Amino acid sequence: MPPCVTRTTLRRMTYFPPPAEELRFLDSELRQLDARRAQLLARRAWLVTTLQQAARPAPPVWPHGPTPPEASSHSEATAPGVQNVLLLLGGILLTIAAMVFTLVSWGHLGIAGRSLVLGAVTLAVLGAPVALLRRGLRSTAESVAGLGLALTVLDAYALHEVVFTAVDGTTYAAAASTALAAVWAAYGTALTALPGSAAMRLPHPAALTVAQLPLLLYAVALGGGPHTVTAAVLLTTAFDAVVALRVSERAVRLVAVVCAFGTGGCGVLAAGLLSLGAAGPSAAARAAALLLLAAAIALGVARFAPRTDLVTGTAAAGALCVVAGLGGVLRVSAPGDWTVPAYLACGIALLAAARGPKAMRRGVALASGVVQAGAVLWAAPAVCVTLLGPTAWLRYLWSGVPADARAAVTADTSWPPYAATAPLILAAVAAVLVTAVRSERWRPQALTAALALTWAAALVTPTALQLPYLAALLMHGLAVPALLALTLPAPAARTATSLALLTSLSLAFLSLATEPATLAVLASLTAVFAAAARRGRPAPVYAAASFGYATALACAVGASADWRPEHVALLVLVVPVVAALVAARLDDPVTTVAVEAAGGVAGLVAIGLAVTDPPLLALVLSLCAVIAAGTAVRPDRRYVGYAAVALFVLASWVRLAAWQVGLPEAYTLPVTVPALLVGTLRRRRDPAASSWTAYGPGLTVTLLPSLATAWGDVEWTRPLLLGAAGLLLTLLGARHRLRAPLVLGGSVLALDALHELAPYLVQMTDALPRWVPPALAGLLLLALGATYEQRLRDVRRVREVLGRMN
């Protein structure tokens, strides 16, 4: 192609079909693609079906009879399961039969027959598993062996009833359980030596289960007391622990673990109850010895346990037993107030005595933490009473100085028993957290908890020691600035802020006992939080707290001067004024919002105080409106102007109500006039603004209440003035082509005229014959039907004229 040919020439030479032809071509191509796709999908489905049939195994060929249904191949129980159920039921039935024979039919035979029958049956049943094992019937052998073990129990019972009738039942049960445990263990060992007996799991676990009884029964038979019986249970636990750690047979080890936990839990519980119920040093020492035995068993298990979690758990259990034992000895030797500190001292000493592997030391530390947490929970009621108890002074405002710090917080509640050492407990746990927790992961949380515990210990000290009331005030008062002055990381700083606010609230309530204390405390809190807001990071919180206490101080000053609540409201308004002035000078938006919110709350308090005196309430609302209007002067707070207008309107309404003014226009015109002025200014700035937006709200506020009142007014003055106003608005709307004044004024004028002409219309209706209204209606319909098209054209023209209006 010669280079002289331009792109424009090439574009003109290219052929493009018409749209209709190109559309037909595209539809044809799409139909061909759909047909080919359907053909390929059908071929793919056939191939998948063929492959699945080739992979499926061929059904068996049955020589006689039809093929069994396919559903029969889905059995609900396996063959071994059915076998085990049958063997278990058979063993149970045979055991029941043997029991019935022994207990019921025993008396029909002589001594020789009894011995012969039981001995022969027992030996036959115990020897049957040997033959069954040689044939490979291990499950059947297991079931028969269980029956033989049950028969040995019946043999022991029979021997007691025939031969050893003079022996005490408990002593015989102890000896029989010992003999049965030995016989069953030997029987299981003998069966284990036979070929194919590896699956015999019943004799050894059964022997271990029976072995739980001898020591306990011997202790009871010998007349041992609770300490002796508990020692027997703990020794049994030690035996179970040794078996669980040394025996390799899985079934025996599992039974040993279960028995060890069961007997160990019972033994520790019994020893703990004996320690708590000990009345003297001797009983406490014996209970402590039992708990130390349990601790030795648990720590021995932790030393040789194969799993880390088991090491940690058993070490923690052993350490708790040590604390319970030593603490019980200290408890009977110390006064009641020092019981919990004694246990806490033992728990803290565990940290220094922790030795061994890491998992074991972790368990001991966990036990120490449990003891310390329990001590803190025991001291928590004293802290709650100290913090929440002063709220009762709202009922006994300025009633006088309490007897001491404890009386100041227990005006409506009681002090927890044995809580005099609560400060010591809290301080000790805080010291442990600071010194013992060194991990980088848990160090911040430990320091935060230590801060909270130290704060609680400081606040509880005056009440726990029954110091003077002034000491409690000073302790609370010093705690607030101390918490505010701390420089801490983010989590601890938030905790310190929360504690400071909580302490300040408790201090404010605590100061309500006397008038001077209330004034001094509220003034101090206002100043302290204001200073903290200037230099602290949580400035919004501190600033809001400062203005909140300033509001309370204003109320307290007014009450101290014996002012009436409505007069105190004027003093409280000083707080919103200061808040508005301070907010205008702040740079932080969050702090600004917090200060303004605090000022708004103070304004609401002032309004609530003045609500009983309408004239003063109107004044307070006006002053609040002035404060809001001053805030609305700022460019970023223009929306506050709406609140200012609303407050001004409310103030005027309250004033009119105080003057007993009943005219609705007196309440609505103060709203309508400013609304119309605002609408006029908006129309001047934005000529495209709708008249409904600019003038509709203002006109509606006055016209609708006045119209509703005029319809029930028997005088002629209000309807006349309302009609004149409607006519004037209609003319103004028509003159300036404004839809809102035209529609509202015309509607009010029409309704007002209808109200005035209503009596005459009623009289005219009574004077006319009854056929005149239907006739007039028929003529009207005929006239409308005759000129329907012309009327539609006129209506369309009127609508176009209104549409061109603003």
Side-chain angles (χ1 to χ4, degrees):
M1 182 180 293
C4 60
V5 178
T6 62
R7 294 183 178 180
T8 306
T9 305
L10 289 174
R11 188 180 300 112
R12 290 178 180 176
M13 292 173 61
T14 303
Y15 173 74
F16 291 96
E21 183 180 352
E22 185 177 2
L23 180 61
R24 286 193 298 271
F25 176 76
L26 292 177
D27 291 340
S28 176
E29 291 291 331
L30 290 174
R31 283 193 296 271
Q32 293 178 7
L33 289 176
D34 291 338
R36 181 60 177 167
R37 184 174 183 274
Q39 182 182 1
L40 293 176
L41 289 175
R43 179 64 178 174
R44 180 183 181 278
W46 181 84
L47 290 174
V48 170
T49 304
T50 303
L51 291 175
Q52 291 178 351
Q53 292 177 354
R56 187 179 303 166
V61 179
W62 295 86
H64 302 287
T67 301
E70 185 178 358
S72 63
S73 62
H74 299 285
S75 58
E76 297 182 357
T78 61
V82 174
Q83 167 190 296
N84 294 333
V85 171
L86 293 177
L87 292 175
L88 179 62
L89 290 176
I92 292 174
L93 292 176
L94 289 175
T95 304
I96 294 173
M99 293 175 61
V100 172
F101 171 76
T102 304
L103 299 175
V104 178
S105 301
W106 186 260
H108 299 288
L109 299 176
I111 184 62
R114 301 170 186 174
S115 303
L116 180 62
V117 170
L118 274 179
V121 172
T122 302
L123 291 176
V125 173
L126 290 176
V130 178
L132 293 173
L133 287 174
R134 290 177 180 176
R135 295 178 176 271
L137 303 175
R138 290 176 296 179
S139 298
T140 306
E142 192 86 34
S143 179
V144 174
L147 176 60
L149 298 180
L151 289 176
T152 57
V153 178
L154 296 178
D155 290 339
Y157 170 75
L159 287 175
H160 178 264
E161 293 296 324
V162 175
V163 180
F164 302 103
T165 56
V167 180
D168 178 63
T170 306
T171 304
Y172 181 80
S177 60
T178 305
L180 287 174
V183 170
W184 291 1
Y187 179 68
T189 304
L191 289 179
T192 305
L194 297 175
S197 61
M200 292 291 290
R201 296 185 294 268
L202 182 60
H204 283 159
L208 181 60
T209 304
V210 176
Q212 309 301 309
L213 300 176
L215 287 177
L216 177 62
L217 294 176
Y218 277 126
V220 175
L222 295 176
H227 294 83
T228 305
V229 174
T230 305
V233 173
L234 291 176
L235 291 176
T236 305
T237 303
F239 169 74
D240 295 333
V242 172
V243 173
L245 293 174
R246 295 302 181 186
V247 176
S248 60
E249 190 176 345
R250 185 173 182 273
V252 177
R253 189 169 63 251
L254 179 60
V255 173
V257 169
V258 173
C259 292
F261 277 105
T263 56
C266 294
V268 170
L269 179 60
L273 294 176
L274 291 174
S275 178
L276 292 177
S282 177
R286 286 183 291 168
L290 294 174
L291 289 171
L292 291 178
L293 174 61
I297 296 171
L299 294 177
V301 172
R303 180 65 179 84
F304 298 100
R307 295 175 52 182
T308 304
D309 53 352
L310 184 60
V311 172
T312 303
T314 52
L320 289 175
C321 290
V322 172
V323 172
L326 298 180
V329 174
L330 296 176
R331 179 184 62 84
V332 297
S333 305
D337 289 335
W338 294 93
T339 299
V340 177
Y343 284 100
L344 178 61
C346 297
I348 295 175
L350 288 176
L351 296 176
R355 296 291 185 273
K358 182 179 179 180
M360 196 168 180
R361 286 185 278 110
R362 187 185 302 115
V364 175
L366 178 62
S368 177
V370 170
V371 174
Q372 296 177 55
V376 171
L377 289 176
W378 177 85
V383 180
C384 294
V385 171
T386 302
L387 288 176
L388 304 179
T391 56
W393 288 105
L394 289 172
R395 298 173 53 190
Y396 312 108
L397 186 64
W398 296 350
S399 58
V401 180
D404 51 42
R406 184 177 297 184
V409 300
T410 56
D412 279 345
T413 186
S414 59
W415 183 252
Y418 305 114
T421 55
L424 177 61
I425 293 172
L426 297 171
V429 176
V432 171
L433 289 174
V434 172
T435 57
V437 181
R438 297 295 183 183
S439 174
E440 295 294 334
R441 178 182 178 185
W442 299 104
R443 181 70 176 172
Q445 291 83 349
L447 292 178
T448 303
L451 172 64
L453 292 174
T454 305
W455 162 81
L459 290 188
V460 174
T461 299
T463 55
L465 301 180
Q466 291 183 305
L467 298 179
Y469 169 69
L470 182 60
L473 288 178
L474 290 177
M475 184 61 70
H476 282 71
L478 293 176
V480 175
L483 291 170
L484 297 179
L486 291 176
T487 303
L488 300 170
R494 289 192 293 268
T495 302
T497 300
S498 302
L499 295 178
L501 293 174
L502 186 60
T503 307
S504 65
L505 287 173
S506 179
L507 175 60
F509 287 119
L510 190 63
S511 66
L512 296 179
T514 62
E515 179 180 344
T518 302
L519 297 177
V521 166
L522 293 178
S524 301
L525 291 177
T526 302
V528 167
F529 279 104
R534 291 176 60 88
R535 51 184 304 183
R537 281 185 295 178
V541 178
Y542 293 156
S546 177
F547 280 101
Y549 286 118
T551 304
L553 177 62
C555 296
V557 170
S560 177
D562 292 332
W563 289 0
R564 295 177 58 84
E566 55 270 18
H567 297 152
V568 176
L570 299 176
L571 183 60
V572 174
L573 285 179
V574 176
V575 178
V577 174
V578 176
L581 296 176
V582 171
R585 299 171 60 88
L586 296 175
D587 298 329
D588 183 17
V590 179
T591 307
T592 302
V593 172
V595 171
E596 291 174 346
V601 172
L604 292 177
V605 172
I607 293 173
L609 291 173
V611 75
T612 57
D613 191 343
L616 257 175
L617 177 61
L619 177 60
V620 170
L621 289 171
S622 300
L623 294 176
C624 291
V626 172
I627 298 172
T631 303
V633 174
R634 293 159 49 194
D636 58 337
R637 291 292 186 270
R638 298 297 188 191
Y639 58 86
V640 184
Y642 297 105
V645 173
L647 289 171
F648 275 123
V649 171
L650 287 176
S652 63
W653 287 356
V654 171
R655 173 55 63 181
L656 291 174
W659 287 337
Q660 297 182 353
V661 175
L663 297 177
E665 291 79 11
Y667 296 89
T668 57
L669 286 177
V671 180
T672 297
V673 174
L676 293 178
L677 292 177
V678 172
T680 303
L681 293 176
R682 180 173 181 180
R683 288 274 299 173
R684 288 183 179 180
R685 294 181 180 180
D686 184 14
S690 173
S691 61
W692 286 108
T693 304
Y695 305 120
L699 294 175
T700 304
V701 168
T702 295
L703 291 177
L704 294 183
S706 298
L707 181 62
T709 307
W711 272 75
D713 196 352
V714 296
E715 301 293 336
W716 58 273
T717 307
R718 178 177 281 107
L720 179 60
L721 295 177
L722 183 61
L727 178 60
L728 179 60
L729 288 175
T730 304
L731 296 177
L732 289 175
R735 172 68 179 80
H736 298 284
R737 304 179 65 184
L738 298 176
R739 186 179 301 177
L742 179 62
V743 174
L744 291 175
S747 301
V748 170
L749 179 61
L751 293 174
D752 185 67
L754 180 62
H755 171 263
E756 293 300 313
L757 295 176
Y760 303 102
L761 293 176
V762 172
Q763 294 178 3
M764 183 178 63
T765 303
D766 294 337
L768 291 176
R770 294 186 180 273
W771 57 268
V772 172
L776 293 177
L779 291 175
L780 178 61
L781 292 176
L782 289 176
L784 290 175
T787 58
Y788 183 74
E789 184 177 0
Q790 182 63 33
R791 299 306 180 208
L792 289 178
R793 188 180 299 112
D794 295 341
V795 171
R796 190 179 301 111
R797 290 177 180 176
V798 172
R799 185 174 59 188
E800 292 175 355
V801 171
L802 292 176
R804 289 193 298 268
M805 293 182 181
N806 290 325

